Amino acid sequence: MRNTKIAIIGLGYVGLPLAVAFAEKYFVVGLDINERRVFQLNECKDSTLEIDDNLLQKVITKNHEGNYSGLLCTSKIDEIRNCNVFIVTVPTPTDKHNRPDLTPLYKASETVGKVLKKGDIVVYESTVYPGVTEEECIPVLEKVSGLTYNLDFFAGYSPERINPGDKEHTVTKILKVTSGSTPEIAEVVDQLYKSIIVAGTHKASSIKVAEAAKVIENSQRDINIAFVNELSKIFYKLGIDTNEVLEAAGTKWNFLKFKPGLVGGHCIGVDPYYLAQKAQEVGYHPEIILSGRRLNDSMGAYVAEEVVKLMVKKDVPVKNARCLVLGFTFKENCPDVRNTKVIDIIKELKNFHITPVVYDPWANIQEVQHEYGFTPYNTLPEGKFESIILAVAHNEFKSLSILDLMIDNGVLFDVKGILPKNIVDARL
Protein backbone atom coordinates (compact mmCIF):
# COMPACT_ATOMS: atom_id res chain seq x y z
CA MET A 1 0.00 0.00 0.00
CA ARG A 2 1.24 3.46 -0.82
CA ASN A 3 1.50 5.96 2.03
CA THR A 4 0.96 3.19 4.54
CA LYS A 5 0.51 4.43 8.09
CA ILE A 6 0.15 1.67 10.67
CA ALA A 7 -1.54 1.76 14.05
CA ILE A 8 -0.64 -0.97 16.53
CA ILE A 9 -3.33 -1.39 19.21
CA GLY A 10 -1.64 -2.74 22.33
CA LEU A 11 2.07 -2.34 23.12
CA GLY A 12 2.75 -5.45 25.15
CA TYR A 13 4.93 -8.49 24.45
CA VAL A 14 3.38 -8.87 20.99
CA GLY A 15 2.60 -5.31 19.94
CA LEU A 16 5.86 -3.58 20.79
CA PRO A 17 8.26 -5.86 18.87
CA LEU A 18 5.90 -5.71 15.87
CA ALA A 19 5.63 -1.93 16.09
CA VAL A 20 9.40 -1.53 16.25
CA ALA A 21 9.91 -3.84 13.27
CA PHE A 22 7.38 -1.94 11.15
CA ALA A 23 8.72 1.44 12.35
CA GLU A 24 12.02 0.88 10.59
CA LYS A 25 10.16 1.05 7.25
CA TYR A 26 6.81 2.72 7.95
CA PHE A 27 5.37 5.39 10.18
CA VAL A 28 3.75 3.59 13.11
CA VAL A 29 1.55 4.82 15.93
CA GLY A 30 1.51 2.53 18.95
CA LEU A 31 -1.64 2.96 21.04
CA ASP A 32 -1.89 1.60 24.59
CA ILE A 33 -4.36 2.44 27.36
CA ASN A 34 -1.63 2.06 30.00
CA GLU A 35 -0.25 5.60 30.31
CA ARG A 36 2.66 4.44 32.46
CA ARG A 37 3.68 1.99 29.75
CA VAL A 38 3.50 4.74 27.11
CA PHE A 39 5.58 7.09 29.26
CA GLN A 40 8.29 4.43 29.76
CA LEU A 41 8.43 3.66 26.05
CA ASN A 42 8.77 7.34 25.19
CA GLU A 43 11.68 7.37 27.63
CA CYS A 44 13.10 4.46 25.57
CA LYS A 45 12.63 1.92 28.36
CA ASP A 46 10.89 -1.41 27.83
CA SER A 47 9.88 -3.12 31.07
CA THR A 48 9.20 -6.39 29.23
CA LEU A 49 12.88 -6.46 28.14
CA GLU A 50 11.86 -7.54 24.64
CA ILE A 51 13.35 -4.49 22.90
CA ASP A 52 16.79 -3.07 23.57
CA ASP A 53 16.80 0.54 24.81
CA ASN A 54 19.16 1.60 22.01
CA LEU A 55 16.81 0.23 19.35
CA LEU A 56 13.87 2.02 20.95
CA GLN A 57 15.87 5.24 20.92
CA LYS A 58 16.48 4.72 17.21
CA VAL A 59 12.81 4.40 16.24
CA ILE A 60 10.89 6.44 18.82
CA THR A 61 9.59 9.79 17.61
CA LYS A 62 7.68 12.45 19.55
CA ASN A 63 5.46 13.65 16.69
CA HIS A 64 4.01 12.48 13.39
CA GLU A 65 4.38 15.51 11.15
CA GLY A 66 6.63 14.90 8.17
CA ASN A 67 7.69 11.43 9.30
CA TYR A 68 7.83 8.54 6.84
CA SER A 69 9.04 6.03 9.42
CA GLY A 70 9.44 5.77 13.17
CA LEU A 71 7.26 4.89 16.16
CA LEU A 72 4.99 7.30 18.00
CA CYS A 73 3.74 5.85 21.31
CA THR A 74 0.55 7.31 22.71
CA SER A 75 -2.56 6.69 24.79
CA LYS A 76 -4.62 9.17 22.77
CA ILE A 77 -7.00 7.81 20.13
CA ASP A 78 -6.77 10.99 18.02
CA GLU A 79 -3.18 10.08 17.14
CA ILE A 80 -4.32 7.05 15.10
CA ARG A 81 -6.97 8.83 13.02
CA ASN A 82 -4.67 9.26 10.02
CA CYS A 83 -3.61 5.60 9.93
CA ASN A 84 -4.95 3.29 7.26
CA VAL A 85 -3.81 -0.10 8.61
CA PHE A 86 -4.81 -1.06 12.14
CA ILE A 87 -3.19 -4.09 13.77
CA VAL A 88 -4.78 -5.35 17.00
CA THR A 89 -2.40 -7.09 19.41
CA VAL A 90 -4.33 -7.08 22.69
CA PRO A 91 -4.39 -10.04 25.12
CA THR A 92 -6.99 -12.79 24.86
CA PRO A 93 -7.23 -14.27 28.38
CA THR A 94 -9.65 -16.70 30.01
CA ASP A 95 -11.87 -16.00 33.02
CA LYS A 96 -11.78 -17.85 36.35
CA HIS A 97 -13.86 -20.63 34.79
CA ASN A 98 -11.37 -21.02 31.89
CA ARG A 99 -13.81 -19.54 29.40
CA PRO A 100 -12.49 -17.19 26.69
CA ASP A 101 -12.68 -13.53 27.66
CA LEU A 102 -12.98 -11.42 24.51
CA THR A 103 -13.41 -8.14 26.39
CA PRO A 104 -10.00 -6.71 25.34
CA LEU A 105 -10.80 -7.56 21.70
CA TYR A 106 -14.23 -5.92 21.87
CA LYS A 107 -12.79 -2.75 23.40
CA ALA A 108 -9.95 -2.61 20.87
CA SER A 109 -12.45 -3.07 18.05
CA GLU A 110 -14.57 -0.22 19.44
CA THR A 111 -11.49 1.99 19.55
CA VAL A 112 -10.60 1.21 15.93
CA GLY A 113 -14.23 1.62 14.87
CA LYS A 114 -14.21 5.23 16.09
CA VAL A 115 -11.47 6.20 13.61
CA LEU A 116 -12.14 3.71 10.78
CA LYS A 117 -12.39 5.18 7.28
CA LYS A 118 -13.24 3.90 3.82
CA GLY A 119 -10.45 1.77 2.38
CA ASP A 120 -8.86 0.99 5.75
CA ILE A 121 -7.69 -2.51 6.75
CA VAL A 122 -7.95 -3.99 10.25
CA VAL A 123 -5.66 -6.93 11.02
CA TYR A 124 -6.02 -9.01 14.18
CA GLU A 125 -3.05 -10.83 15.72
CA SER A 126 -4.59 -11.84 19.06
CA THR A 127 -5.00 -15.59 19.50
CA VAL A 128 -8.64 -16.64 19.11
CA TYR A 129 -10.81 -19.59 18.10
CA PRO A 130 -11.89 -19.85 14.43
CA GLY A 131 -14.58 -17.31 13.62
CA VAL A 132 -13.85 -14.61 16.20
CA THR A 133 -12.52 -12.04 13.72
CA GLU A 134 -15.50 -12.15 11.39
CA GLU A 135 -18.27 -13.16 13.83
CA GLU A 136 -17.30 -11.13 16.91
CA CYS A 137 -14.94 -8.30 15.95
CA ILE A 138 -16.23 -7.22 12.53
CA PRO A 139 -19.80 -6.53 13.80
CA VAL A 140 -18.30 -4.20 16.44
CA LEU A 141 -16.31 -2.37 13.78
CA GLU A 142 -19.41 -2.00 11.58
CA LYS A 143 -21.63 -0.81 14.42
CA VAL A 144 -19.20 1.81 15.74
CA SER A 145 -17.94 3.08 12.38
CA GLY A 146 -21.21 2.88 10.42
CA LEU A 147 -19.19 1.32 7.55
CA THR A 148 -19.82 -1.95 5.70
CA TYR A 149 -17.40 -4.87 5.88
CA ASN A 150 -15.67 -5.79 2.59
CA LEU A 151 -17.25 -2.79 0.91
CA ASP A 152 -15.98 0.19 2.90
CA PHE A 153 -13.28 -1.49 5.00
CA PHE A 154 -11.48 -4.82 5.05
CA ALA A 155 -9.90 -7.23 7.52
CA GLY A 156 -7.08 -9.68 7.93
CA TYR A 157 -5.71 -12.09 10.49
CA SER A 158 -2.04 -12.82 11.11
CA PRO A 159 -1.48 -14.76 14.33
CA GLU A 160 1.33 -13.63 16.60
CA ARG A 161 4.26 -15.98 17.10
CA ILE A 162 6.17 -14.08 19.77
CA ASN A 163 8.23 -16.14 22.22
CA PRO A 164 8.87 -13.90 25.28
CA GLY A 165 12.50 -13.81 26.37
CA ASP A 166 13.76 -15.45 23.16
CA LYS A 167 16.42 -13.22 21.59
CA GLU A 168 17.07 -15.64 18.74
CA HIS A 169 13.57 -16.24 17.37
CA THR A 170 12.45 -12.63 17.17
CA VAL A 171 9.37 -11.37 15.31
CA THR A 172 11.07 -10.87 11.93
CA LYS A 173 12.82 -14.24 12.07
CA ILE A 174 9.70 -16.36 12.52
CA LEU A 175 7.66 -17.30 9.45
CA LYS A 176 4.35 -15.43 9.55
CA VAL A 177 0.91 -16.76 8.63
CA THR A 178 -1.26 -14.12 6.93
CA SER A 179 -4.80 -13.89 5.58
CA GLY A 180 -7.36 -11.38 4.32
CA SER A 181 -11.09 -10.94 3.95
CA THR A 182 -10.85 -10.95 0.12
CA PRO A 183 -8.18 -12.42 -2.18
CA GLU A 184 -6.97 -8.91 -3.02
CA ILE A 185 -6.73 -7.85 0.64
CA ALA A 186 -5.05 -11.15 1.54
CA GLU A 187 -2.30 -10.26 -0.93
CA VAL A 188 -2.00 -6.72 0.45
CA VAL A 189 -1.70 -8.03 4.03
CA ASP A 190 0.80 -10.68 2.94
CA GLN A 191 2.99 -8.16 1.14
CA LEU A 192 2.87 -5.80 4.11
CA TYR A 193 4.20 -8.45 6.48
CA LYS A 194 6.58 -9.80 3.89
CA SER A 195 8.26 -6.38 3.79
CA ILE A 196 9.56 -6.89 7.35
CA ILE A 197 9.50 -10.65 7.98
CA VAL A 198 12.83 -11.98 6.71
CA ALA A 199 11.73 -15.56 7.43
CA GLY A 200 8.92 -15.19 4.89
CA THR A 201 5.15 -15.58 5.05
CA HIS A 202 2.49 -18.23 4.48
CA LYS A 203 -0.75 -16.90 3.01
CA ALA A 204 -3.67 -18.91 4.35
CA SER A 205 -6.78 -19.42 2.23
CA SER A 206 -9.07 -17.67 4.72
CA ILE A 207 -9.15 -15.81 8.01
CA LYS A 208 -10.68 -18.84 9.75
CA VAL A 209 -7.88 -21.11 8.53
CA ALA A 210 -5.30 -18.68 9.91
CA GLU A 211 -7.16 -18.46 13.25
CA ALA A 212 -7.37 -22.25 13.49
CA ALA A 213 -3.69 -22.69 12.60
CA LYS A 214 -2.64 -20.50 15.50
CA VAL A 215 -4.85 -22.05 18.12
CA ILE A 216 -3.74 -25.62 17.30
CA GLU A 217 -0.03 -24.73 17.44
CA ASN A 218 -0.22 -24.25 21.19
CA SER A 219 -2.88 -26.91 21.75
CA GLN A 220 -0.58 -29.48 20.17
CA ARG A 221 2.30 -28.42 22.42
CA ASP A 222 0.04 -28.48 25.47
CA ILE A 223 -1.06 -32.05 24.77
CA ASN A 224 2.52 -33.23 24.24
CA ILE A 225 3.65 -31.67 27.53
CA ALA A 226 0.65 -33.24 29.29
CA PHE A 227 1.81 -36.64 28.03
CA VAL A 228 5.32 -36.26 29.47
CA ASN A 229 3.87 -34.82 32.70
CA GLU A 230 1.83 -38.00 33.04
CA LEU A 231 4.92 -40.06 32.30
CA SER A 232 6.76 -38.14 35.01
CA LYS A 233 4.13 -39.11 37.58
CA ILE A 234 4.28 -42.76 36.52
CA PHE A 235 8.08 -42.99 36.49
CA TYR A 236 8.34 -41.22 39.85
CA LYS A 237 6.22 -43.98 41.41
CA LEU A 238 8.42 -46.56 39.67
CA GLY A 239 11.61 -44.98 40.97
CA ILE A 240 12.82 -44.11 37.46
CA ASP A 241 14.32 -40.75 36.46
CA THR A 242 12.06 -39.22 33.80
CA ASN A 243 14.80 -37.09 32.29
CA GLU A 244 16.99 -40.15 31.77
CA VAL A 245 14.09 -41.98 30.12
CA LEU A 246 13.44 -39.05 27.77
CA GLU A 247 17.13 -38.78 26.94
CA ALA A 248 17.26 -42.47 25.99
CA ALA A 249 14.03 -42.33 23.98
CA GLY A 250 15.25 -39.15 22.28
CA THR A 251 17.99 -41.07 20.50
CA LYS A 252 15.34 -42.20 17.99
CA TRP A 253 15.19 -39.77 15.04
CA ASN A 254 11.43 -39.17 15.16
CA PHE A 255 10.92 -38.98 18.92
CA LEU A 256 9.36 -35.64 19.94
CA LYS A 257 11.52 -34.02 22.61
CA PHE A 258 9.24 -32.52 25.25
CA LYS A 259 9.98 -32.17 28.95
CA PRO A 260 7.68 -32.26 31.98
CA GLY A 261 6.92 -29.05 33.84
CA LEU A 262 4.50 -26.28 34.68
CA VAL A 263 2.50 -25.01 31.70
CA GLY A 264 1.68 -21.33 32.10
CA GLY A 265 2.12 -18.14 30.13
CA HIS A 266 -0.16 -16.27 27.75
CA CYS A 267 -0.39 -18.98 25.08
CA ILE A 268 0.03 -22.68 25.83
CA GLY A 269 -1.97 -22.64 29.05
CA VAL A 270 -4.77 -20.53 27.55
CA ASP A 271 -5.23 -21.24 23.83
CA PRO A 272 -6.57 -24.82 24.15
CA TYR A 273 -9.53 -23.46 26.12
CA TYR A 274 -10.38 -21.21 23.16
CA LEU A 275 -10.47 -24.18 20.80
CA ALA A 276 -12.41 -26.26 23.32
CA GLN A 277 -15.00 -23.50 23.72
CA LYS A 278 -15.68 -23.33 19.98
CA ALA A 279 -15.80 -27.12 19.70
CA GLN A 280 -18.44 -27.30 22.42
CA GLU A 281 -20.47 -24.53 20.77
CA VAL A 282 -20.81 -26.70 17.66
CA GLY A 283 -21.70 -29.82 19.66
CA TYR A 284 -18.39 -31.63 20.06
CA HIS A 285 -16.77 -32.37 23.42
CA PRO A 286 -12.96 -32.29 22.92
CA GLU A 287 -11.71 -35.07 25.19
CA ILE A 288 -7.97 -35.02 24.49
CA ILE A 289 -7.62 -31.22 24.60
CA LEU A 290 -9.44 -30.86 27.93
CA SER A 291 -7.79 -33.93 29.42
CA GLY A 292 -4.38 -32.42 28.65
CA ARG A 293 -5.46 -29.13 30.19
CA ARG A 294 -6.66 -30.82 33.39
CA LEU A 295 -3.42 -32.71 33.79
CA ASN A 296 -1.20 -29.70 33.13
CA ASP A 297 -3.25 -27.49 35.43
CA SER A 298 -2.76 -30.02 38.23
CA MET A 299 1.04 -30.00 38.18
CA GLY A 300 1.55 -27.09 40.59
CA ALA A 301 -0.49 -28.75 43.33
CA TYR A 302 1.22 -32.07 42.56
CA VAL A 303 4.68 -30.57 43.15
CA ALA A 304 3.63 -29.05 46.47
CA GLU A 305 2.03 -32.31 47.63
CA GLU A 306 5.15 -34.32 46.78
CA VAL A 307 7.30 -31.86 48.72
CA VAL A 308 5.07 -32.31 51.76
CA LYS A 309 5.28 -36.11 51.47
CA LEU A 310 9.08 -35.92 51.33
CA MET A 311 9.14 -33.63 54.36
CA VAL A 312 7.06 -36.15 56.31
CA LYS A 313 9.37 -39.01 55.25
CA LYS A 314 12.41 -37.05 56.44
CA ASP A 315 10.71 -36.07 59.73
CA VAL A 316 10.74 -32.39 58.82
CA PRO A 317 7.87 -30.59 60.61
CA VAL A 318 5.39 -29.38 57.99
CA LYS A 319 3.27 -26.87 59.89
CA ASN A 320 4.83 -23.39 59.92
CA ALA A 321 7.80 -24.59 57.87
CA ARG A 322 9.31 -22.17 55.34
CA CYS A 323 9.69 -23.16 51.70
CA LEU A 324 11.94 -21.16 49.39
CA VAL A 325 10.38 -21.05 45.92
CA LEU A 326 13.00 -20.15 43.34
CA GLY A 327 11.32 -18.36 40.45
CA PHE A 328 7.84 -17.02 39.80
CA THR A 329 7.73 -15.95 36.12
CA PHE A 330 6.12 -18.37 33.68
CA LYS A 331 9.46 -19.15 32.02
CA GLU A 332 13.18 -18.69 32.55
CA ASN A 333 15.11 -15.44 32.01
CA CYS A 334 11.94 -13.47 31.30
CA PRO A 335 9.94 -11.01 33.44
CA ASP A 336 6.53 -12.20 32.21
CA VAL A 337 4.32 -13.36 35.10
CA ARG A 338 1.09 -13.75 33.11
CA ASN A 339 -0.71 -16.99 33.96
CA THR A 340 2.31 -18.38 35.80
CA LYS A 341 1.58 -21.78 37.32
CA VAL A 342 4.07 -21.26 40.13
CA ILE A 343 1.15 -19.60 41.91
CA ASP A 344 -0.50 -23.03 42.13
CA ILE A 345 2.52 -24.35 44.05
CA ILE A 346 2.31 -21.41 46.43
CA LYS A 347 -1.42 -21.84 47.05
CA GLU A 348 -1.06 -25.56 47.78
CA LEU A 349 1.86 -25.00 50.16
CA LYS A 350 -0.32 -22.58 52.10
CA ASN A 351 -3.02 -25.25 52.35
CA PHE A 352 -0.49 -27.32 54.34
CA HIS A 353 0.33 -24.28 56.53
CA ILE A 354 3.76 -23.94 54.95
CA THR A 355 5.04 -20.39 54.45
CA PRO A 356 6.22 -19.92 50.85
CA VAL A 357 9.05 -17.41 50.37
CA VAL A 358 9.37 -16.50 46.68
CA TYR A 359 12.66 -15.31 45.21
CA ASP A 360 12.72 -14.15 41.59
CA PRO A 361 15.31 -11.65 40.30
CA TRP A 362 13.36 -11.18 37.06
CA ALA A 363 9.78 -10.62 38.26
CA ASN A 364 8.40 -7.11 38.68
CA ILE A 365 7.45 -6.79 42.35
CA GLN A 366 4.62 -4.29 41.74
CA GLU A 367 3.11 -6.42 38.99
CA VAL A 368 3.15 -9.54 41.18
CA GLN A 369 1.58 -7.61 44.05
CA HIS A 370 -1.16 -6.28 41.77
CA GLU A 371 -1.94 -9.55 39.98
CA TYR A 372 -1.35 -12.13 42.72
CA GLY A 373 -1.53 -10.26 46.03
CA PHE A 374 1.84 -11.08 47.59
CA THR A 375 5.35 -9.65 47.57
CA PRO A 376 8.25 -11.70 46.13
CA TYR A 377 11.91 -11.03 46.79
CA ASN A 378 14.19 -9.68 44.06
CA THR A 379 17.22 -10.47 46.21
CA LEU A 380 18.02 -13.71 48.00
CA PRO A 381 16.13 -13.83 51.33
CA GLU A 382 18.03 -14.57 54.51
CA GLY A 383 17.82 -17.64 56.71
CA LYS A 384 17.56 -21.35 56.09
CA PHE A 385 14.53 -23.19 54.81
CA GLU A 386 12.90 -26.54 55.55
CA SER A 387 12.30 -27.07 51.83
CA ILE A 388 13.28 -25.52 48.52
CA ILE A 389 11.48 -25.77 45.17
CA LEU A 390 13.36 -24.72 42.05
CA ALA A 391 10.36 -23.71 39.93
CA VAL A 392 11.94 -21.61 37.14
CA ALA A 393 15.33 -22.16 35.48
CA HIS A 394 16.67 -18.60 35.67
CA ASN A 395 20.40 -18.40 34.97
CA GLU A 396 20.93 -16.82 38.40
CA PHE A 397 19.81 -20.02 40.12
CA LYS A 398 22.40 -22.21 38.40
CA SER A 399 25.22 -20.58 40.34
CA LEU A 400 23.48 -20.61 43.74
CA SER A 401 24.86 -22.79 46.55
CA ILE A 402 21.36 -24.10 47.11
CA LEU A 403 22.17 -26.63 49.81
CA ASP A 404 23.57 -23.82 51.98
CA LEU A 405 20.10 -22.26 51.98
CA MET A 406 18.44 -25.34 53.48
CA ILE A 407 18.45 -27.05 56.87
CA ASP A 408 20.50 -30.26 57.06
CA ASN A 409 17.61 -32.67 56.48
CA GLY A 410 15.57 -30.33 54.27
CA VAL A 411 13.78 -31.23 51.04
CA LEU A 412 14.93 -30.03 47.61
CA PHE A 413 12.55 -30.46 44.65
CA ASP A 414 13.80 -29.58 41.15
CA VAL A 415 10.85 -28.85 38.86
CA LYS A 416 13.08 -27.96 35.89
CA GLY A 417 15.63 -30.76 36.13
CA ILE A 418 18.67 -28.45 35.99
CA LEU A 419 20.33 -29.29 39.32
CA PRO A 420 22.76 -32.20 39.86
CA LYS A 421 20.74 -35.34 40.42
CA ASN A 422 22.74 -36.30 43.51
CA ILE A 423 21.70 -33.21 45.52
CA VAL A 424 17.94 -33.23 44.89
CA ASP A 425 15.30 -35.27 46.67
CA ALA A 426 13.03 -35.33 43.62
CA ARG A 427 12.44 -33.75 40.24
CA LEU A 428 9.84 -33.90 37.51
Side-chain angles (χ1 to χ4, degrees):
M1 292 175 62
R2 289 185 176 181
N3 302 317
T4 299
K5 290 186 177 181
I6 302 170
I8 305 290
I9 315 301
L11 293 173
Y13 282 87
V14 174
L16 181 63
L18 185 68
V20 169
F22 272 123
E24 297 200 54
K25 289 193 174 183
Y26 305 93
F27 179 68
V28 179
V29 181
L31 180 69
D32 200 290
I33 59 174
N34 186 334
E35 293 184 358
R36 185 168 179 268
R37 171 71 167 161
V38 171
F39 175 81
Q40 289 177 337
L41 292 176
N42 282 323
E43 293 296 308
C44 301
K45 300 290 182 183
D46 173 25
S47 60
T48 68
L49 305 182
E50 291 299 302
I51 302 297
D52 182 79
D53 293 349
N54 292 329
L55 180 54
L56 267 180
Q57 196 166 15
K58 177 183 174 184
V59 299
I60 288 285
T61 181
K62 303 296 183 182
N63 63 77
H64 53 75
E65 292 183 11
N67 288 317
Y68 296 97
S69 64
L71 172 61
L72 172 67
C73 297
T74 184
S75 58
K76 299 175 181 177
I77 187 173
D78 283 344
E79 299 283 6
I80 65 171
R81 287 189 183 278
N82 292 327
C83 295
N84 46 24
V85 175
F86 301 88
I87 302 179
V88 177
T89 60
V90 297
T92 43
T94 53
D95 64 18
K96 63 181 180 179
H97 302 295
N98 293 321
R99 294 175 302 202
D101 180 6
L102 299 178
T103 303
L105 268 183
Y106 290 143
K107 289 184 176 179
S109 297
E110 288 174 3
T111 297
V112 173
K114 292 175 182 177
V115 297
L116 200 61
K117 307 173 298 298
K118 288 190 175 183
D120 288 352
I121 299 174
V122 186
V123 180
Y124 290 87
E125 287 214 1
S126 305
T127 302
V128 293
Y129 55 78
V132 166
T133 299
E134 293 168 294
E135 297 165 13
E136 301 290 340
C137 298
I138 296 302
V140 175
L141 292 173
E142 288 188 313
K143 180 179 179 181
V144 176
S145 69
L147 301 176
T148 302
Y149 177 49
N150 275 345
L151 180 63
D152 299 320
F153 74 94
F154 306 89
Y157 184 80
S158 181
E160 58 92 358
R161 280 179 168 171
I162 293 292
N163 187 24
D166 190 337
K167 302 306 180 186
E168 181 182 352
H169 302 96
T170 53
V171 62
T172 62
K173 297 177 183 177
I174 304 173
L175 195 142
K176 201 86 161 68
V177 174
T178 68
S179 64
S181 54
T182 69
E184 295 76 19
I185 294 302
E187 180 63 19
V188 171
V189 172
D190 190 65
Q191 289 300 322
L192 180 64
Y193 279 100
K194 193 172 287 184
S195 68
I196 64 163
I197 306 294
V198 296
T201 61
H202 173 89
K203 186 167 62 173
S205 60
S206 69
I207 286 175
K208 284 185 178 179
V209 167
E211 291 171 325
K214 170 58 182 178
V215 80
I216 71 163
E217 288 175 21
N218 291 323
S219 298
Q220 181 189 67
R221 187 167 176 79
D222 190 47
I223 291 166
N224 279 311
I225 297 173
F227 174 59
V228 294
N229 273 336
E230 188 163 69
L231 292 180
S232 176
K233 291 183 176 182
I234 295 170
F235 294 146
Y236 182 72
K237 288 184 176 293
L238 294 175
I240 303 172
D241 188 282
T242 304
N243 286 290
E244 292 180 2
V245 174
L246 294 174
E247 185 179 355
T251 58
K252 190 180 181 194
W253 76 92
N254 61 351
F255 184 81
L256 301 178
K257 296 184 179 181
F258 289 89
K259 288 188 174 184
L262 305 175
V263 184
H266 67 300
C267 283
I268 300 176
V270 173
D271 297 354
Y273 287 122
Y274 273 72
L275 185 56
Q277 170 78 15
K278 189 61 177 179
Q280 290 169 330
E281 285 180 6
V282 294
Y284 180 80
H285 180 73
E287 296 184 23
I288 293 177
I289 293 171
L290 291 179
S291 176
R293 276 285 74 234
R294 283 192 297 271
L295 198 148
N296 283 341
D297 277 347
S298 74
M299 292 305 291
Y302 169 77
V303 168
E305 289 165 5
E306 292 305 315
V307 168
V308 171
K309 290 177 185 177
L310 288 166
M311 291 174 71
V312 172
K313 285 181 182 179
K314 298 180 78 170
D315 292 322
V316 178
V318 173
K319 189 174 183 179
N320 298 324
R322 293 202 310 158
C323 177
L324 178 63
V325 179
L326 295 174
F328 186 73
T329 60
F330 93 89
K331 66 181 292 188
E332 65 275 5
N333 307 320
C334 171
D336 195 349
V337 297
R338 290 176 297 172
N339 195 36
T340 174
K341 290 303 173 182
V342 181
I343 191 64
D344 294 343
I345 297 177
I346 293 168
K347 289 178 179 177
E348 192 66 16
L349 289 173
K350 289 180 178 179
N351 287 338
F352 287 100
H353 300 284
I354 294 173
T355 301
V357 180
V358 181
Y359 166 47
D360 193 314
W362 285 80
N364 181 288
I365 292 177
Q366 290 74 29
E367 188 174 352
V368 175
Q369 288 173 332
H370 180 264
E371 294 296 329
Y372 299 98
F374 76 95
T375 304
Y377 287 84
N378 275 156
T379 57
L380 191 63
E382 296 180 355
K384 293 203 173 187
F385 300 85
E386 283 75 20
S387 59
I388 296 178
I389 300 173
L390 191 147
V392 185
H394 292 319
N395 288 339
E396 288 86 346
F397 299 155
K398 297 175 184 178
S399 58
L400 279 181
S401 298
I402 290 183
L403 294 182
D404 293 340
L405 306 174
M406 192 167 61
I407 64 173
D408 290 341
N409 64 329
V411 170
L412 176 56
F413 195 107
D414 183 8
V415 173
K416 300 299 293 185
I418 65 169
L419 299 176
K421 183 181 176 183
N422 63 309
I423 72 167
V424 304
D425 292 282
R427 63 183 184 178
L428 287 184

